[in-house]
Amino acid sequence: MSEAAARLLIRVGRLVDGSGAKPLDGAAVLVEGERILAAGRAADIGTPEGATVIDAPSRTLIPGLIDAHVHLAYSGIPHKRAFRAELTELSYPAIALRAASYARNTLRHGFTALRDMHAPGGTIIDLRKAIDAGHVEGPRIKACGRGLSVTGGHMDQPGWADHTEFRDLTRPCDGPVAFRQGVREEIKRGADFIKVNTCVSVSRTPGVWCRQEMTNEEIAAACDEAHMQGYMVASHTSGDEGLANTIIHGVDCVEHAHFCDERIIGLMVKHGTYYVPTLLVNERNFDFTPEEQGVSAGSWRWLNAAREAKWTSLAMARKAGVRICSGTDAGFMLEHGPVNWKELALLVQGGLTPLEAITAATATNADLLGIEAGRITAGKLADLVLVDGDPTADIAVLGDIDRLRVFKGGKEVH
């Protein structure tokens, strides 16, 4: 194949490059192979001989969107008991095959990369390998394997019958040495990063919403082991002192973190911590009654308290300059694909501009995942979304699949 035949030129009405810069009107992007060769004013780039040309004067080109918090192993079924039982009826190969369809559907909706935040066994690690090898089509995936949790903790929950035993469904650890071993096991299996569960929600006492789950020594040991081997650490968190200790003892990215205060936000700034507020999954709870979800009165109180607190936390984080990411928690309460864009809409509802929300879901998320995408600039991977409309004026246009043309590595997704 000749060099010219491998080139694609996209000319658009406006270009949002992911950096947070003002959109550029009358722009063009030249792609060669899987990477961007040039991006800027259409008049400056011209029309290279032999390039395939897409002329879209009324459309906007943005980087491929990234969801920094998904669970591809889960279906999004809303009832808690059904959710718990779901994976007991599927073999791990079946989970991986189903996850492949979820991943591809999410790609078709404009999300060219995902960060998977826990799955049994190595199901999503293996799916990532299959996508990278070209065996199946899907977005770029970064997977943690199994999240690490204390025995009986958030990702090793009680309530199963005494005779029930699962293999590799979760990875409970107890003590600093055990957490180091857990980190090593997930890295050996092929994890791209490590997830821990440092602090969790509580609902038995109204007004007390969080408690620390891991000890400070356990948090520090997990982070030290992961960092020593060159891996980042993300944590499921709720807030208060447990969240503060999570940041102080080395976690790189906090998930959820609805209950923040000025001290915690200051710690995020000091330590350069990424923040994934997962607004959508909290809001999703209110599409159902407590009975439809199978949640207790205490849990319903917690959900309402978190619903109020998360907006205050987001506003403080934005004001302080915290690195805000976009992640939905899809798979838990949420289906994969059609609703992922709504996290951006909620970021806008929470005070970000549409351009800031797009930046969170592109450049900032790409930095978090450590992938060469998220920005439309020379040398980056050509993960792109051509949008019929202007998402910087109306973020909701990202929710209409018929208005999107998606490119991963320079190739259009059909």
Side-chain angles (χ1 to χ4, degrees), residues 46-59:
T47 307
E49 184 178 354
T52 300
V53 178
I54 295 175
D55 274 315
S58 65
R59 295 193 176 219

Side-chain angles (χ1 to χ4, degrees), residues 82 85 167 181 249 259 277 283 300 335 375 384:
R167 181 167 56 95
Q181 181 178 349
H249 289 90
F259 297 93
E283 287 297 307
W300 192 248
E335 63 179 320
R375 295 175 177 84
L384 309 166

